[in-house]
Every structure is written in structure tokens, then in C-alpha cells.
Amino acid sequence: MKVIIAEKPSVARDIALIVGADTRRDGYMEGNGYTVTWAFGHLVGLAMPEHYGITGFQRENLPILPKEFKLIPRQVKEGKEYKNDPGVMKQLKVVRGLFDKCEQIVVATDAGREGELIFRYIYQYLACKKPFERLWINSLTDQAIANGMNNLKPGSEYDNLFHSAKARSEADWIIGINASQALSITAGRGVWSLGRVQTPTLAMICSRYLENKDFKPQTYYQLKVDTAKDKICFSAISKERYNSKTDAETILERLRSTESIRITNVETKQAGQEPPLLYDLTTLQKEANSRHSFSADKTLSIAQSLYEAKLISYPRTGSRYISEDVFAEIPALVEELYNHPTFGISAKTLLEHELNKRSVNNKKVTDHHALIITDNVPESISAEQRIIYDMIAARMLEAFYGKCTKENTTVTLEASNVVFIAKSSKILIPGWRAVQNAPEDEKEDDEISSLPELNKGELLPVNNSELLEKQTKPRPLHTEASLLSAMETCGKELADEAEREALKESGIGTPATRAGIIETLFSREYIRREKKSLVPTNKGMVVFLAVKDKKIADVAMTGSWESALNKIETGEMNRDTFHRGIEVYAAQITTELLESKIGGADNRESYPCPKCKSGQVTLYQKVAKCGNVDCRLTVFRNKSGKDLSDNQIKDLLTKGKTGVIKGFKSKENKSFDATLMFDDAYKTVFSFPQKKSHAGKRR
């Protein structure tokens, strides 16, 4: 019997259908010599410090560097403790039983770094020794699964992929645990979070915010003249910028006495603009954010759902290219779009010409090729799924279209010894831009759509002249789109030329993890959205100011690690060498952070803890919590449908009880009034006011 293990139940069902495992059991399906089971993502992960006998945040414990990492089942929180997830334990028992009985395992988790790690951690946790093969596919269509099952790869071919994934997992643990505990100890209260990729990403957002906030605009002046020929009016702007308004006004007065302006040069060039490459995940996320305000995480989630619906290829790809064998399938995929209400005509037109092969390069295809549609036509999908699907379909058509041909004209003019420039750009042959009637790229300042036919030496009338007052502008705040670009090409932002050259092909994070990193910054309350812009919170800025000069915020080092992880994957670097470097680094950042000072601590109100007497209870948005890790007294804001105010929590902490609070709701949704107080275990309980006695009341 062969056991196939997929990453999730929905994928397992698709595979089971192809191999003929049509009998449903508890936790698996079987039939035709196959048993198909599944994980729920990461069933097994790295154990936390308490599993190594290290409790609390103690300076003397740092750095925490396990000699051997322990694997444990996924945990869930019950009260104040973390326990094994019952659902995970049940499924692991199923998987263990199937592995024990089988002769061969087929690994069908997602074909990438994380998918490999999910299986290998389960395999190691169960101490399994059975041989395994790898199903490696780019889509979940029936044909792709069938072809993949007929061409299974030896599991050993993916050992380096696992070594890279394991190195990344352990590095994130070592850096995250040690840096977070060190900063929390330094802060003296609260739990603070730092991470290998998270912190440099926060640094990018905060640095851009401070740069923007501190930017002092410089005023400058230019001259503008209006002229015309053949009843076509256009404007030209002075080539020179003037820092002095007085100088500019003096020249303007001279210009106003001039009746004509002479054309000194006309330069017209045709330029061919190649079509864009196919989408990888990061480019899709950037454009979905710019066009539709989708977060990176939302775009990934939608793309994953389209993949599981067999409508697109594997989304977590870092490549924008396809191989020659996939290119051979493109005409048939284009035909599937003939009836598309928006792109149908473009699809038919495309196949009347030779396809552009700019996106075809075997050498640039990594684990997975670029995002393309499959031969399944979507029938019933949500509006948001339709947006992402149409983006991928349109980009696939654009990528194989011909060039867009543009005509760019630059005219130089002169009046009163002042040189003026007029520019225009127009599309002659739309090419790939016809697919979506895509507008031209953003024009330069003062660029116009068209000019009349102009010749060198011509004199044109000066119909009007004026002074333009302008200001220099800062780089805009990061949006998710620009942040993804910065994460992808972090080397370009480095000041040091040697570092920039070393990291020109590196980024921080991977296409599959960048969305999660951004979401982590939101969940930690380090950043917030202001319309499309990403802005640090006070808490985020406090963290940044504490670590901005430390190694933990070093973009260059983080980028070099991503490069190292890629080298482990290709067999060019040994995982143990990387691990030793991470341990040295962890010791350095721990020392740095323990010696640093953190101010502000996000300026939240806090009060002495009535339970442990030594910690401070800090008021947060949803809870009030003691910063002493051995205490962790917690008061939840919402109690029986009523949100407690800061003053009510203050009274509870400082006086032991609140005043009478009105408007609590019972389980039967009936309103009641009560006082809140602590019981002997410092749990928040109700105390009901005694009803006033009517004895002795006059009748």
C-alpha cells in the first residue's frame, strides 16, 4: 500500500479522485492500492523555551541556543497554558497508523519550502523510516496530478530544500525568541516582539515615515510660455530652475516684452516597449494593492483559493518566467479565453500572430513557473476571486503580445535667451496595451499628449507667459505595494555600494512569507493604515528607535541570509555553517539589546499589580495585563457584553472593585447592573448591590 499525504483535506480529495481512493474513512480515504491522508498545515513545529526547562524571561538564560531542537504538535491556548491541539493529535495518530502499515509514502504537500517542511517535521516527529517519493506539480488540475503521479521524484532530490526550510525555521526561532525576550527584559514591562525579517521590515516603514515627516520642501521657480501652431495650443517650460523668486520675476518681465519664440531643435524617436513579464506572487500582490487596495495577505489568500479550485497555477512562486514545455501549452490556454467578456477579442487576435517569448526562459524558472491560468474555465467565483483571476488572465495575454510602439518628441525653444522644453508622447501601435486598453505609463511633469508638426527655425507667437512656483517633494510613505518592492529588492536601498552589489538579487523574506510578515506587524500593533499608507504606531516607533542602530534591524544582513538560504537549497552552502553564524549573531543581538534603553513603552497607562505586587498592569485595547511573566494577571475589557472603561479598570486594580456598572447582559440577553471585583484567585467576578430595604418607610 502507498500512503499519499497532502497539505490539507481539500487537496487530498482532489488527489484521491485521480488515484481511485474513493472510500472515505476517519482522517483518510482509501482504494485502488492507495491511502490518501492529510495535514492541516503545520501539525508539528519547534518547541518553545519551556520545553527545554526555561521558564519566564530571565537575563541569565539568554541567549537560548538549543543543542537539538525539539518537535511538538501544534499548541492551543487553554486559560493561561498551551496544550496539544486535540484535533492535531487525532490526525497525527491517523497518519502514524498509516505510515506504520504502508510500504511507500508519496509526499503531496505544497511543492515549495514550507510544504516540504510540513511533511519532514511530521515524518521526523513520528520517527518514521519508510521510503518516500515526491509529487511535484505546478497546478491542481486533474491532468497535472495524473502526470505528476506518473513522474514521482525520489524524496532525496528535495533534501536540500528541506535543509533550507529547517535552517530558516530554526533561525527565526533563535532570533525571535532571544531578541524578543531581551527587549522585553530591557523594557521592564510588557512583551515585545522582534524577528529576523519582521524587524528590518518595520525599520523600512519607520525610516520612510521619519524621512517624510522631517522633509523640508525647497521652493523653486520655472517659467512657462503658451504658444500655438495650426490652431493647436501647447505650453513649454523653462529648462532652468530658479531658486530666487526675484531673479525669476526679472526674467519674466523680459519675456513678457517678447512677441515670439524660436524652435531650436525638434527630436522625434520611436520606442518599442516590451510587454510586462508574467506575474510572480509579489508582483501580483503589488498591483492588486495599487489597483484594488487589496492587502498582500488578502491577495495571497484569494490566489490560494483559485489554485485549490484548479483555476490558476501554484501561487507562491518567485519566478516571472515559464519553461519551453509550458510555453507549448499557452495557445490552448489562450483559446479558453475566447469567450471572456473583456479579453475575448484580444485572445483571438493574439493567436493570429507569433507569440512574444520574453517570458520564456528555462534558466529563470525556479521551483515553480510564473502565474498562469489553467484550462478550467471559472463558473461560479466571488467578485474578489474574479478580480484576481482576471488580473492573471490579462497579464498572461499581455505577456505574449507584441511590443507597444510609442513616438516621443522633445522640442527645444528659445525666447529672450531662456531655453524652454516641450515634450509629448503618443502611442502608434498599442501592442500589449490593447488587452486592457492600458493607459500610458505615468507622464513626466508637464508632458503633453500631442504637439503640432514643428520644424527647427520656426517662429511661434508667445501668447502668454507666467511664473510657476513649485516645491520639491519627499518620497511618499510606504504602501503595501511599495513595501513589497522594498522587501523584494532591499539591496537597492542600501547606501554602501559593495553591500548594494552583493544584495542586488536578494530580498528579505520570500514571496510566500512577505504577506505574513506585514500582517504580523499589524497584529503586534506596530503599524496601522492611513488610507493606503503604512504608518508606524507609537509602539512601533518606540521599538524602531530602540533597535534602529542594532544588528536586528540590519536589512543588509537579513538580505544576505535569504541569499544563504537559497544557496543551502541549491547545495552551495552547508546548513550547519549557516546555523553557527545565526548562533553567533543571536549572542551579539542579545548583548546589544540587554544593554540598550527603551523609552516610551508606547505611553499606555499602567498600575501596580494587586496580585504579584511587583509587576505593572498595562492597559491595552482589549485587555489589561501584568508585565511580570510569572504573574500575567489579565483583565479582559469586555465582560458580559460590556466594554470596561480605563477608569473602571483603574478602580478594579487600585481599589479592588469598581463602582456599580450598568448594562451587563446575561446569557438570556437580559440587562443587569453589578460591581466587578477580584476573587481569591484574582479572577474578575460580579458583586451585586443589595436592594434597599423598605422597612420603616412611611405609608
Side-chain angles (χ1 to χ4, degrees):
M1 178 189 73
K2 281 190 175 183
V3 171
I4 302 172
I5 180 166
E7 193 160 316
K8 57 181 66 174
S10 60
V11 177
R13 285 194 295 270
D14 291 336
I15 295 172
L17 187 65
I18 299 302
V19 301
D22 51 11
T23 302
R24 182 68 186 255
R25 305 294 187 192
D26 189 10
Y28 64 97
M29 289 166 283
E30 65 179 357
N32 197 32
Y34 287 98
T35 299
V36 185
T37 189
W38 52 82
F40 310 115
H42 285 276
L43 294 184
V44 174
L46 299 179
M48 297 303 284
E50 53 266 30
H51 292 88
Y52 301 91
I54 301 170
T55 57
F57 290 11
Q58 305 296 330
R59 186 181 294 261
E60 57 270 21
N61 290 335
L62 300 181
I64 303 169
L65 303 172
K67 290 183 179 179
E68 291 288 337
F69 277 92
K70 296 179 180 179
L71 294 175
I72 59 170
R74 191 164 68 213
Q75 307 280 287
V76 291
K77 193 171 186 179
E78 287 187 11
K80 295 182 180 180
E81 295 183 358
Y82 283 92
K83 297 183 178 180
N84 293 338
D85 184 326
V88 166
M89 297 306 295
K90 180 181 177 182
Q91 189 62 16
L92 281 172
K93 184 178 179 181
V94 170
V95 174
R96 183 191 293 276
L98 295 175
F99 280 6
D100 287 345
K101 294 176 186 176
C102 77
E103 296 134 20
Q104 183 94 25
I105 299 168
V106 176
V107 184
T109 49
D110 280 359
R113 190 188 283 177
E114 282 307 295
E116 192 68 24
L117 189 68
I118 286 170
F119 165 70
R120 297 288 186 118
Y121 272 178
I122 294 171
Y123 187 80
Q124 289 187 354
Y125 176 75
L126 298 178
C128 185
K129 303 295 182 183
K130 297 291 176 72
F132 58 89
E133 297 176 295
R134 194 57 162 100
L135 174 69
W136 195 270
I137 51 179
N138 279 298
S139 75
L140 288 175
T141 63
D142 293 352
Q143 188 62 50
I145 294 171
N147 289 342
M149 288 300 297
N150 289 328
N151 293 280
L152 295 173
K153 309 288 186 183
S156 58
E157 284 191 14
Y158 299 91
D159 285 350
N160 286 336
L161 180 66
F162 166 59
H163 293 324
S164 173
K166 188 169 187 282
R168 192 275 310 154
S169 175
E170 293 176 354
D172 285 349
W173 191 100
I174 290 171
I175 294 168
I177 293 292
N178 285 291
S180 298
Q181 289 202 14
L183 188 64
S184 299
I185 291 168
T186 299
R189 67 179 191 186
V191 177
W192 300 77
S193 170
L194 298 178
R196 182 180 64 89
V197 180
Q198 169 192 321
T199 305
T201 303
L202 175 65
M204 287 180 177
I205 296 169
C206 293
S207 297
R208 178 67 64 87
Y209 174 78
L210 291 176
E211 175 190 326
N212 187 283
K213 183 180 177 182
D214 296 340
F215 182 82
K216 292 180 172 54
Q218 302 295 315
T219 301
Y220 66 93
Y221 305 89
Q222 285 181 289
L223 302 171
K224 174 186 172 185
V225 294
D226 296 328
T227 185
K229 181 185 177 184
D230 299 334
K231 297 183 179 180
I232 299 176
C233 300
F234 65 96
S235 301
I237 308 297
S238 63
K239 185 176 181 180
E240 187 174 351
R241 294 180 174 188
Y242 304 95
N243 294 324
S244 166
K245 186 175 183 179
T246 302
D247 292 346
E249 286 177 334
T250 300
I251 298 170
L252 178 64
E253 287 304 313
R254 192 172 77 222
L255 186 63
R256 283 175 172 166
S257 63
T258 302
E259 296 181 352
S260 61
I261 186 167
R262 180 185 299 277
I263 298 174
T264 59
N265 191 45
V266 179
E267 185 177 15
T268 300
K269 292 182 179 179
Q270 284 192 12
Q273 187 181 36
E274 289 283 3
L277 294 169
L278 294 163
Y279 282 131
D280 63 358
L281 176 60
T282 301
T283 313
L284 177 67
Q285 288 171 318
K286 288 191 293 186
E287 294 195 15
N289 180 254
S290 298
R291 295 187 203 171
H292 305 288
S293 298
F294 286 4
S295 70
D297 188 59
K298 182 174 184 176
T299 299
L300 174 56
S301 176
I302 295 170
Q304 182 69 22
S305 71
L306 292 171
Y307 168 67
E308 292 174 17
K310 309 182 182 185
L311 297 174
I312 65 170
S313 61
Y314 186 68
R316 290 175 168 84
T317 176
S319 176
R320 302 188 67 184
Y321 295 86
I322 59 172
S323 55
E324 289 284 354
D325 60 329
V326 176
F327 178 64
E329 302 171 12
I330 294 300
L333 297 179
V334 172
E335 287 182 10
E336 296 294 341
L337 296 172
Y338 275 8
N339 294 320
H340 193 286
T342 307
F343 314 131
I345 295 174
S346 295
K348 292 173 184 176
T349 305
L350 175 58
L351 293 188
E352 293 173 359
H353 304 88
E354 185 178 352
L355 299 186
N356 190 317
K357 296 186 71 173
R358 180 170 183 247
S359 292
V360 183
N361 190 325
N362 287 3
K363 294 180 180 179
K364 292 189 177 182
V365 176
T366 52
D367 292 340
H368 295 279
H369 60 62
L371 272 163
I372 56 175
I373 64 170
T374 68
D375 56 4
N376 292 325
V377 178
E379 294 178 357
S380 178
I381 57 177
S382 70
E384 290 180 339
Q385 285 177 314
R386 172 60 66 180
I387 287 171
I388 297 300
Y389 178 85
D390 281 358
M391 285 181 68
I392 295 168
R395 177 51 56 87
M396 189 184 79
L397 293 177
E398 289 173 338
F400 299 109
Y401 251 86
K403 297 178 183 179
C404 166
T405 304
K406 300 169 69 175
E407 183 179 80
N408 300 319
T409 301
T410 302
V411 181
T412 307
L413 310 94
E414 186 177 334
S416 296
N417 295 320
V418 179
V419 176
F420 292 85
I421 302 292
K423 293 182 179 181
S424 76
S425 176
K426 64 180 179 181
I427 292 176
L428 300 178
I429 302 172
W432 63 270
R433 288 187 179 275
V435 175
Q436 299 187 81
N437 294 317
E440 291 187 67
D441 297 327
E442 193 171 315
K443 292 181 179 294
E444 295 180 29
D445 288 346
D446 307 312
E447 186 173 305
I448 55 183
S449 298
S450 62
L451 289 166
E453 188 167 329
L454 302 171
N455 299 298
K456 183 177 179 180
E458 280 188 283
L459 285 175
L460 302 177
V462 175
N463 297 331
N464 183 50
S465 54
E466 60 181 295
L467 184 66
L468 302 178
E469 182 175 315
K470 298 183 178 182
Q471 286 190 327
T472 54
K473 296 178 181 179
R475 289 195 296 173
L477 298 173
H478 271 307
T479 62
E480 283 203 42
S482 67
L483 181 62
L484 286 166
S485 290
M487 294 174 77
E488 185 179 32
T489 58
C490 63
K492 292 182 180 178
E493 301 224 348
L494 297 172
D496 185 270
E497 186 176 347
E499 288 182 345
R500 195 165 58 243
E501 180 63 23
L503 290 179
K504 66 180 180 181
E505 298 298 328
S506 295
I508 59 173
T510 66
T513 61
R514 287 172 190 139
I517 293 297
I518 297 171
E519 290 303 312
T520 296
L521 293 176
F522 281 115
S523 68
R524 303 293 188 208
E525 297 183 357
Y526 286 171
I527 62 173
R528 67 178 190 275
R529 287 188 180 89
E530 285 187 2
K531 296 182 179 178
K532 280 192 173 184
S533 298
L534 301 179
V535 175
T537 62
N538 187 58
K539 182 178 181 181
M541 190 58 72
V542 166
V543 172
F544 169 68
L545 293 175
V547 304
K548 65 184 177 71
D549 298 322
K550 309 290 189 294
K551 289 182 180 293
I552 186 69
D554 189 344
V555 172
M557 182 167 288
T558 306
S560 67
W561 283 337
E562 296 297 347
S563 179
L565 290 170
N566 290 334
K567 288 179 180 178
I568 294 172
E569 186 173 328
T570 58
E572 299 172 67
M573 177 179 279
N574 181 276
R575 183 180 67 86
D576 292 338
T577 302
F578 175 80
H579 186 83
R580 286 194 294 272
I582 290 292
E583 288 191 330
V584 170
Y585 170 82
Q588 291 173 335
I589 61 170
T590 300
T591 301
E592 280 188 341
L593 291 169
L594 289 174
E595 292 175 353
S596 66
K597 294 181 180 180
I598 180 168
D602 79 0
N603 294 331
R604 297 183 190 272
E605 289 187 68
S606 65
Y607 302 93
C609 179
K611 181 182 178 184
C612 70
K613 314 300 184 194
S614 60
Q616 288 282 320
V617 179
T618 304
L619 275 57
Y620 297 96
Q621 186 177 356
K622 294 183 179 180
V623 297
K625 187 179 291 185
C626 178
N628 181 348
V629 294
D630 295 322
C631 173
R632 307 302 282 158
L633 170 69
T634 301
V635 178
F636 290 94
R637 285 263 187 194
N638 190 280
K639 183 75 172 174
S640 295
K642 181 75 175 178
D643 283 332
L644 304 181
S645 69
D646 286 358
N647 284 334
Q648 288 165 343
I649 295 177
K650 175 185 176 183
D651 287 345
L652 180 63
L653 295 170
T654 58
K655 300 176 182 178
K657 66 178 183 177
T658 68
V660 176
I661 301 172
K662 297 183 177 182
F664 292 112
K665 294 287 184 182
S666 68
K667 292 180 179 179
E668 293 77 26
N669 203 33
K670 292 182 179 180
S671 182
F672 67 93
D673 305 338
T675 293
L676 288 178
M677 59 184 294
F678 289 123
D679 66 9
D680 292 342
Y682 282 89
K683 292 183 179 179
T684 309
V685 296
F686 292 114
S687 173
F688 295 95
Q690 293 183 350
K691 293 183 179 179
K692 291 181 180 179
S693 172
H694 294 284
K697 189 174 181 180
R698 292 182 181 180
R699 298 182 180 275

